[in-house]
Each structure stands twice: as C-alpha cells, then as structure tokens.
C-alpha cells in the first residue's frame, strides 16, 4: 500500500510518498510560490535524479496535479499510475477540542476544520485547499487528517485552562491546545522502544526544538502538559517568536510605540526570539558560529534560549513528580551539541549524568547522550512527522477496505 503525505501551506505544499510494506520513501518534494507564474516544483524520486521545474501554478489543484504527474512520469516517476496511491494523509495544524486523534475526511470533518479557521487562520485554510485539491484530482481516494494538536488533548484541565474569566473558554474556546503533537508522540514511542521499557511506565520530557519549539510532559505515553498554548507563540524562546512574556507588555508596547494589533502580533511572532536578541539571525547555526567568534549579543540570545528551555524541563519534572528521560528532537535538538550540553550539564540536580563524547557522536540516529547508570536518561531521536501521518492514514484507510 502506498500513502501520499501532504503538508499544504498557503503558498507552498510539501509531499512524501511512502511504501508502507517496507516503510520506504518512494519520492518526496515540494511546490513553492503557489499563486505565481514562477512557481517552483522540486521532486526527489528515490534512486533517480532530483528535478527542478519553474512553471505557472496559480492554485493548489494545479500544484497537486503537477505532483501527481511527476509521481507517474515515465522517467522521473516512481509509480505507473495514480491508482497505486491508496490513500492521502494531510497534516492539519489545529484540531481544536473536536479531534483527539486522526480521522478520515468526510463532510462533517471538513465542516469542523473550517469552523476552526479562527484558531489557526494562517494554517487551517491552507490545509483545506490541499484537501480540496486532492479531491479534485483523485475523487475516489480516501483522505485522512492528522492534527498537530490531537496528542495534547489528553492534558487535564489544570494544565490546559488559563486563569482568565471562564467565559473566554466557554464562548471562544480560549485554552491551551499545544502543537508539534505528532512529533512529541513519535519520539515518545521511539524513546520507549530505545530504552526497552513500556511507554505506559515512563515519565518523559520531549523537547521539539526547531524554528518553532515546544516541550511536552509525557506521562505514561500521554501528553499532560506542553509549552505552546492556544497558539504556537507561547512557551519557549524560538527563532523569531518571543515565547512566554508578561501579557501586560502587549498593551504597554502598543501604547508607547503606537502599534496596531497586527503590528504587535507580527513583532512577537516574526521579529522576536533569537533574531531580536542577537540582531544576527533566527538560525541556531549562525548563532552558535557567532557565539564561538565572541559575539556578545549572540551569546546573550543563546543563554536566554537555553535558560528558558532548562526552566521548562525543571517545571515538567515537577508536573510529573520526576523524569525518566529527556528527549531532544527537530533541527536544533537533533543537531546542536552546544545546546544539549549546556542544558544537560545544569540538570545534575535531577540526576542527569551527561556524556560529552556520546553527545558528539552518531548524528542522524536514535542515541543516548547520558552516561550508563544516569538516573535520568537523555536521548536524541530524529523526528519523522511524515511517517507518523503515513502510519495513521494507513491504519484508517485499512478500516475502509
Ligand atoms: P522547522 O520548525 O521549520 O521544521 P527544523 O526542525 O528543520 O525547523 O529546525 C530548523 C532549525 O534547526 C534552524 O533554526 C537551524 O538553525 C537548526 N539547525 C539545523 N542544523 C543545526 C546545527 N548543526 N546546529 C545548530 N542548529 C541547527
């Protein structure tokens, strides 16, 4: 069975085609600049050369058609016909309180995703375009949706409610939802397998640290708290996002700097974080290079980023009354030796014994970076959200047969 995974944005679309029999990736790629005459299609068929094509792609239906054309192309393709695609899985950012797990797409599901546009105005409308585009090109293929929020729906009320008038929750569903759930779930399962222990018995803190970053407290395989909130702005300091701050700063800064709602939102989402403090970049690689070259602002940005992450790990140890393992994943978590080292060397009070040599070795694979016998294990596990989406889609599609 072959599953096509789609992550549709407003002007871009990423795809991966999985063969579920041997869990291999048959092809992957992306379409960028949808809506323009010079849209770019990048197609990477397994075992064949990469293809770049510039053409007019004005909307998502054409983008999907071009992707399907590539997948069945006599030279650049990996399938003989689109009928070999058994199901399509979509990443959907916001499932609100309605979706606690992945589901097959039907009219009710589409209506509900649309109802949630308010909570994810930049993401959910684009996902709907992706779903409609697949429907237009392959009307009979089953489609599933996999939500970034679903894994965190197990949070208890004290973790997901904000201490503000309950009318905001009742009327407008203002609460913590959390994001990166597919990744937190995936690395939790892999961590249990790596440790050879049942997930149900583990207390994990999973740290998904990429451009966007979040931590989760995973107790017995269920998310019981996470650092992102109603939107992906809360929590850790990120590349361009502030993360936690005193909410009173918002009206104060708006008044002093004469900012509109749109401007303050843009400041906190796009012009804060590592970028704002370092004045150099939102990219952790460039920050680390600048730190090593002695740049004081980069060092301050790094120290704030690390400090805020370490505080969350400490908080989640309190949330779960202990930790068995800390898991690092995503771009920064998987690759920044310096970040992992700085965090872990200051967690000795929890019982972390950090292994510097292991921290430098074994890039790209699941690995342990704590010393044998460390009370709290520290793991690095490369995330694979696309595979999780394929797996859920496969399971749901099989039920339809
Ligand atoms: P996204 O949230 O967009 O999916 P990723 O998980 O791909 O992001 O993470 C991107 C981040 O990973 C970038 O900020 C980049 O700085 C960081 N990164 C990638 N490689 C390294 C590295 N070797 N050292 C430090 N940071 C890295």
């Amino acid at each position: 069975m072959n599953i096509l995974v789609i992550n549709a944005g407003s002007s871009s679309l990423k795809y991966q085609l999985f063969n579920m029999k041997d869990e291999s990736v048959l092809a992957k790629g992306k379409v960028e600049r949808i809506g323009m005459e010079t849209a770019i299609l990048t197609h990477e068929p397994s075992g064949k050369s990469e293809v770049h094509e510039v053409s007019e792609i004005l909307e998502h239906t054409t983008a999907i058609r071009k992707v399907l054309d590539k997948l069945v192309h006599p030279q650049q393709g990996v399938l003989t016909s689109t009928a070999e695609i058994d199901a399509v899985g979509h990443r959907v950012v916001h499932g609100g309180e309605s979706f606690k797990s992945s589901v097959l797409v039907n009219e009710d599901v589409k209506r509900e995703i649309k109802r949630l546009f308010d909570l994810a105005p930049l993401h959910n409308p684009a996902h709907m375009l992706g779903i409609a585009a697949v429907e237009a090109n392959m009307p009979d293929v089953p489609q599933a949706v996999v939500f970034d929020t679903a894994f965190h729906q197990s949070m208890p009320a004290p973790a997901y409610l904000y201490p503000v008038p309950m009318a905001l929750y009742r009327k407008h569903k203002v609460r913590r939802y959390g994001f990166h759930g597919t990744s937190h779930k995936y690395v939790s399962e892999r961590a249990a397998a790596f440790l050879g222990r049942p997930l149900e018995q583990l207390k994990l803190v999973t740290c998904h640290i990429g451009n966007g970053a979040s931590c989760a407290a995973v107790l017995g395989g269920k998310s019981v708290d996470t650092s992102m909130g109603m939107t992906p702005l809360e929590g850790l300091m990120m590349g361009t996002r502030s993360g936690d701050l005193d909410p009173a700063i918002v009206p104060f800064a708006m008044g002093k700097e004469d900012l509109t709602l749109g401007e303050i939102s843009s400041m906190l989402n796009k012009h804060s974080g590592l970028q704002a403090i370092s004045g150099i970049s939102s990219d952790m690689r460039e920050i680390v290079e600048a730190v090593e070259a002695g740049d004081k602002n980069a060092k301050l940005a790094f120290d704030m980023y690390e400090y805020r992450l370490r505080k969350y790990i400490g908080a989640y140890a309190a949330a779960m009354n202990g930790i068995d393992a800390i898991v690092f994943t995503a771009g920064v978590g998987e690759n920044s030796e310096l970040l992992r080292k700085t965090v872990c060397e200051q967690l000795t009070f929890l019982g972390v014994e950090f292994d510097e040599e292991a921290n430098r070795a074994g890039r790209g694979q699941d690995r342990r970076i704590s010393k044998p016998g460390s009370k709290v294990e520290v793991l690095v596990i490369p995330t694979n959200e696309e595979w999780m989406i394929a797996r859920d889609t496969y399971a749901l599609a099989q039920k339809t047969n």
Side-chain angles (χ1 to χ4, degrees):
M1 195 180 240
N2 299 318
I3 304 285
L4 180 63
V5 172
I6 304 278
N7 183 354
S10 56
S11 66
S12 72
L13 184 152
K14 291 187 196 139
Y15 64 93
Q16 255 186 62
L17 180 68
F18 288 90
N19 174 348
M20 301 309 287
K21 226 192 248 163
D22 61 4
E23 303 186 3
S24 62
V25 176
L26 296 173
K28 61 180 178 179
K30 58 188 174 197
V31 184
E32 295 164 286
R33 297 153 62 110
I34 299 173
M36 298 176 71
E37 286 168 18
T38 52
I40 307 163
L41 169 65
T42 308
H43 174 63
E44 297 175 52
S46 165
K48 298 181 179 180
S49 330
E50 195 172 307
V51 182
H52 285 272
E53 244 174 48
V54 177
S55 66
E56 180 179 275
I57 301 179
L58 296 181
E59 31 66 53
H60 288 66
T61 304
T62 315
I64 291 286
R65 184 172 50 73
K66 296 235 177 197
V67 168
L68 295 175
D69 286 350
K70 280 288 168 247
L71 291 174
V72 300
H73 190 280
Q75 282 83 42
Q76 301 156 349
V78 290
L79 303 173
T80 44
S81 140
T82 56
E84 290 169 43
I85 298 173
D86 298 283
V88 177
H90 294 266
R91 175 198 178 212
V92 174
V93 163
H94 221 304
E97 287 187 324
S98 321
F99 298 106
K100 300 190 186 331
S101 59
S102 307
V103 290
L104 284 170
V105 174
N106 60 28
E107 290 310 312
D108 289 343
V109 167
K110 283 194 279 189
R111 207 171 307 118
E112 194 55 26
I113 295 172
K114 280 187 194 156
R115 218 179 50 79
L116 295 167
F117 278 6
D118 253 8
L119 290 175
L122 300 178
H123 293 98
N124 276 24
H127 304 322
M128 280 306 296
L129 292 175
I131 292 168
V134 171
E135 231 166 44
N137 282 283
M138 295 190 287
D140 297 325
V141 75
Q143 298 194 69
V145 274
V146 179
F147 301 94
D148 279 15
T149 49
F151 180 58
H152 300 301
Q153 278 296 301
S154 47
M155 282 188 288
Y160 74 67
L161 285 175
Y162 293 109
V164 294
M166 282 298 275
L168 284 179
Y169 172 59
R170 281 196 296 266
K171 280 163 61 184
H172 307 295
K173 293 291 169 205
V174 170
R175 54 159 286 178
R176 175 183 311 287
Y177 292 98
F179 299 88
H180 297 141
T182 310
S183 176
H184 288 294
K185 184 175 180 201
Y186 174 78
V187 299
S188 299
E189 290 177 7
R190 295 287 291 209
F194 184 92
L195 295 170
R197 295 172 62 183
L199 184 55
E200 295 69 32
Q201 289 171 16
L202 287 174
K203 296 173 177 178
L204 304 173
V205 176
T206 50
C207 307
H208 177 109
I209 318 287
N211 280 320
S214 67
C215 278
V218 182
L219 181 64
K222 293 194 174 0
S223 173
V224 291
D225 205 351
T226 190
S227 58
M228 283 181 168
M230 182 171 111
T231 78
L233 181 56
E234 195 185 347
L236 301 171
M237 175 170 162
M238 308 178 215
T240 63
R241 286 176 236 165
S242 62
D244 295 336
L245 46 77
D246 179 349
I249 292 170
V250 173
F252 182 86
M254 286 176 78
K256 292 286 181 195
E257 295 283 316
D258 200 17
L259 302 174
T260 63
L261 277 174
E263 285 165 344
I264 190 93
S265 171
S266 163
M267 184 182 98
L268 297 174
N269 279 289
K270 297 186 184 148
H271 305 288
S272 293
L274 285 175
Q275 173 74 59
I277 303 298
S278 70
I280 294 174
S281 173
S282 62
D283 189 306
M284 185 54 97
R285 270 168 299 206
E286 290 178 37
I287 299 296
V288 171
E289 274 169 31
V291 170
E292 284 164 356
D295 188 283
K296 284 203 177 74
N297 294 332
K299 171 86 171 85
L300 176 60
F302 181 89
D303 288 349
M304 288 170 67
Y305 190 93
E306 178 278 320
Y307 177 63
R308 285 170 166 245
L309 170 58
R310 183 155 42 93
K311 282 206 297 185
Y312 261 100
I313 296 172
Y316 288 168
M320 296 186 288
N321 195 11
I323 307 181
D324 295 307
I326 299 165
V327 184
F328 287 97
T329 193
V332 179
E334 289 167 33
N335 296 302
S336 179
E337 290 167 18
L338 183 64
L339 182 80
R340 295 193 303 256
K341 174 178 149 74
T342 319
V343 169
C344 291
E345 284 187 343
Q346 298 175 86
L347 292 175
T348 49
F349 79 98
L350 280 176
V352 171
E353 289 180 63
F354 183 66
D355 187 335
E356 258 205 88
E357 212 171 295
N359 187 41
R360 286 193 294 266
R363 189 165 283 210
Q365 59 198 35
D366 295 1
R367 59 201 190 274
R368 180 186 270 113
I369 58 168
S370 49
K371 287 193 172 142
S374 174
K375 188 171 158 231
V376 174
E377 312 238 27
V378 186
L379 309 178
V380 180
I381 299 193
T383 194
N384 195 343
E385 289 158 288
E386 292 77 15
W387 167 247
M388 281 296 270
I389 295 172
R391 206 184 73 176
D392 276 10
T393 304
Y394 177 61
L396 287 165
Q398 277 192 319
K399 283 190 199 157
T400 63
N401 292 332

